[in-house]
Structures are given as structure tokens and as C-alpha cells.
Amino acid sequence: MSSADIKKNFDDYVEAFNSHDVDRFAQFYAPDFYLHVPAFPRINSRKEASDLFRQGLSFFQETIHPTYLLFGERALAMEAKMDSVALVDIESPFPFTGKTYKKGERFVYPSICHYEFNDEGLIQTWRCFSEVQRPDPGAGIKQDILPGY
């Protein structure tokens, strides 16, 4: 896959992910997709990832806003602002923050991710590392969101 192919696939994926339609964005994952996110169990398939995201999106809505992208052969590295809003009162500590949130409360955290693509252009592996920051004035990632995202 060329860098242009990866960028096109990834742009389509980010648009789908930000739609919060799990069935739509999960189609970008290989059937034997592997996801590594700290504080979550290991995910070893598209179905497991769909179940995880469907559950998560029932209590918070999250959008990806890339601030840096680096393309390689069948791979992509991304830094992003992950913008989240609690859809319900989250009374148990949220895994990335250790904090609770009231319905409607917003939180933003930076994320560094590595994606690997298979021969069909599907995401085979996604490794993600994050640190949460409160979206108070002057807080959060200082980089601007990339044009088009």
C-alpha cells in the first residue's frame, strides 16, 4: 500500500469513527484485528472491538482530532486530541483519568497511536497510549488540529 492509499483509508476511517456508528467504523478493522489500549483487556478481533466500542459509546462520545500524522509502508503514526463527552453520569472512575464525570461533562486527552494495515487496506493492529488532560482554558494539546480533521 502506498502512503496515499493509507491516508485515504485513514481519512475515511476517522470520518466513520467520528460518526459514532460502530458498524460503520468497525468495517475498517481486519477480522483478526488486534487492539492494545492501556486499562482495557486485550482485543483480538473486529467483533471484540465492536463490542468494546459499542459499550463505551453508550456512556461517552469520543471524536478523533489528529494533530500529527506520519505515514510509512502499511503503517501510520498519529498524535491526536481525543474529545469526549459523558452521555450519562459516569460514577465509576473512567479508565484513562481515574475521575468520575457528570452527564454532559467534557474531557479531552492527547493520544499517541500506531496503526498497521494489512494487504487489503484494513487496520490490522492499533496500539494506543493516552494521558488525560482537563479541557480548561489553556489546557490540553497545544498543537492545532490538522486541516480536514
Side-chain angles (χ1 to χ4, degrees):
M1 293 186 71
S2 71
S3 292
D5 293 333
I6 291 172
K7 182 174 184 335
K8 170 70 170 109
N9 285 6
F10 190 73
D11 287 351
D12 293 345
Y13 167 71
V14 169
E15 181 181 323
F17 188 93
N18 289 347
S19 77
H20 309 112
D21 180 341
V22 174
D23 293 328
R24 182 175 165 209
F25 70 75
Q27 294 305 307
F28 289 86
Y29 303 145
D32 57 344
F33 172 72
Y34 169 75
L35 172 63
H36 170 78
V37 178
F40 286 99
R42 182 178 170 151
I43 301 298
N44 293 302
S45 70
R46 176 191 294 160
K47 182 189 179 320
E48 288 179 14
S50 296
D51 292 346
L52 174 73
F53 285 115
R54 194 168 276 107
Q55 180 182 14
L57 289 171
S58 71
F59 64 91
F60 75 99
Q61 194 171 63
E62 184 171 73
T63 56
I64 300 172
H65 300 283
T67 58
Y68 178 79
L69 295 171
L70 179 65
F71 298 92
E73 186 176 330
R74 293 176 40 171
L76 165 79
M78 174 186 74
E79 291 179 12
K81 286 169 65 169
M82 304 300 284
D83 195 339
S84 303
V85 176
L87 300 177
V88 297
D89 288 347
I90 302 173
E91 296 175 0
S92 297
F94 189 74
F96 297 134
T97 66
K99 299 177 183 176
T100 60
Y101 295 94
K102 296 290 184 196
K103 181 178 179 179
E105 192 171 356
R106 179 175 165 251
F107 55 101
V108 176
Y109 61 94
S111 183
I112 298 172
C113 300
H114 178 259
Y115 299 86
E116 295 173 357
F117 295 82
N118 67 15
D119 291 335
E120 290 78 41
L122 297 174
I123 300 170
Q124 185 69 54
T125 303
W126 175 11
R127 293 177 183 90
C128 187
F129 303 91
S130 304
E131 176 190 349
V132 175
Q133 298 180 11
R134 295 195 48 82
D136 300 322
I141 293 178
K142 302 299 182 192
Q143 293 179 306
D144 291 331
I145 295 169
L146 295 174
Y149 294 100

